[in-house]
Amino acid sequence: SATPNEFTGPALSYRFKGFEPDVVTFAAQVEREGLQASRRLLDSAKLKMGYFRLPLQLAADDAEFNPALEALKSQAKLAADLGCTRCVASLAAADIRPLHQNFDFHRKRIVAVAKVLDEHGIQLGIGFTATCDAEALGDFEFIRSFEGLGMLLSMTPAKNVGMAVDVYELWSCHSSFDAVKNARFKVVAVFLADGPSGIDPAHWLATHGPNG
């Protein structure tokens, strides 16, 4: 993955106003070159920071999750130093745990991640995957609707946790942005998509797939 400095030239050439940093790559660059050298071009370009993807899997086993959570402490600090105050993560559409167990499992994982991020003033946006052929981690279906996401967030007490809204996923599960506006959860990030009007999502997905 390219470093933030390597993204700066193309971003300016195409007149982008900001970009999404890869905190893992940036942390490795800082370790090699130091913070000032690693952010030099970013500072001169005055690009705005968007969000960064959570650099760990919420559903990972403890042996993978715990070291990644420890590494997140320094990664989150670097993101905050860059002025990046939003982090997003997406839930797998299926898992190895039954639904009720998975809700409690993810609630605890989200709270643990949110605590690390909150120490650096970073908000965490959680999204879901509605499409039927989404990458699955197991045989038990998990959250694939906006209503299901809202149920999980209502169980999560962390104040810096909200929604990462993907308009395509909303449309795929027959929901709409009106549901988002009426929800009591903060919106941390929004991902836009376009497509034909008057088409049933099930028909569109069957003929075009999730990337159609």
Side-chain angles (χ1 to χ4, degrees), residues 13 29-30 32 109 131 135 153 163 192 199:
S13 296
Q29 183 186 13
V30 169
R32 294 192 309 268
R109 287 289 176 86
T131 49
E135 182 178 352
L153 293 180
M163 300 179 292
L192 300 180
I199 299 294

Side-chain angles (χ1 to χ4, degrees), residues 22-156:
D22 180 331
V23 294
V24 175
T25 302
F26 184 59
Q29 183 186 13
V30 169
E31 187 173 346
R32 294 192 309 268
E33 305 173 11
L35 180 59
Q36 291 305 114
S38 299
R39 62 180 298 169
R40 176 177 52 84
L41 294 181
L42 283 175
D43 291 340
S44 63
K46 300 188 183 331
L47 291 171
K48 294 180 180 179
M49 296 297 106
Y51 64 90
F52 66 96
R53 292 277 178 186
L54 183 66
L56 56 84
Q57 292 291 329
L58 290 171
D61 59 31
D62 289 344
E64 179 182 342
F65 179 82
N66 290 335
L69 185 66
E70 184 66 28
L72 182 63
K73 295 177 181 179
S74 59
Q75 293 163 348
K77 183 181 185 305
L78 286 175
D81 288 342
L82 285 178
C84 189
T85 59
R86 292 177 295 165
C87 176
V88 299
S90 185
L91 303 170
D95 210 306
I96 59 174
R97 303 168 191 83
L99 186 63
H100 66 285
Q101 293 180 12
N102 216 13
F103 262 88
D104 188 57
F105 175 85
H106 277 81
R107 179 189 63 81
K108 292 176 180 176
R109 287 289 176 86
I110 290 171
V111 168
V113 169
K115 181 179 179 181
V116 172
L117 297 178
D118 192 44
E119 292 176 358
H120 303 284
I122 297 174
Q123 299 182 75
L124 174 62
I126 303 295
F128 68 96
T129 306
T131 49
C132 58
D133 53 349
E135 182 178 352
L137 300 178
D139 297 327
F140 292 99
E141 186 170 301
F142 193 34
I143 293 173
R144 287 174 53 185
S145 70
F146 181 74
E147 291 73 17
L149 177 63
M151 186 180 300
L152 177 63
L153 293 180
S154 69
M155 298 166 55
T156 306

Side-chain angles (χ1 to χ4, degrees), residues 129-193:
T129 306
T131 49
C132 58
D133 53 349
E135 182 178 352
L137 300 178
D139 297 327
F140 292 99
E141 186 170 301
F142 193 34
I143 293 173
R144 287 174 53 185
S145 70
F146 181 74
E147 291 73 17
L149 177 63
M151 186 180 300
L152 177 63
L153 293 180
S154 69
M155 298 166 55
T156 306
K159 295 182 179 180
N160 63 322
V161 175
M163 300 179 292
V165 179
D166 188 321
V167 175
Y168 176 80
E169 302 296 351
L170 281 178
W171 176 76
S172 298
C173 71
H174 298 271
S175 191
S176 69
F177 212 80
D178 287 337
V180 177
K181 291 190 292 185
N182 293 329
R184 62 185 182 87
F185 309 107
K186 71 176 72 176
V187 175
V188 176
V190 176
F191 304 97
L192 300 180

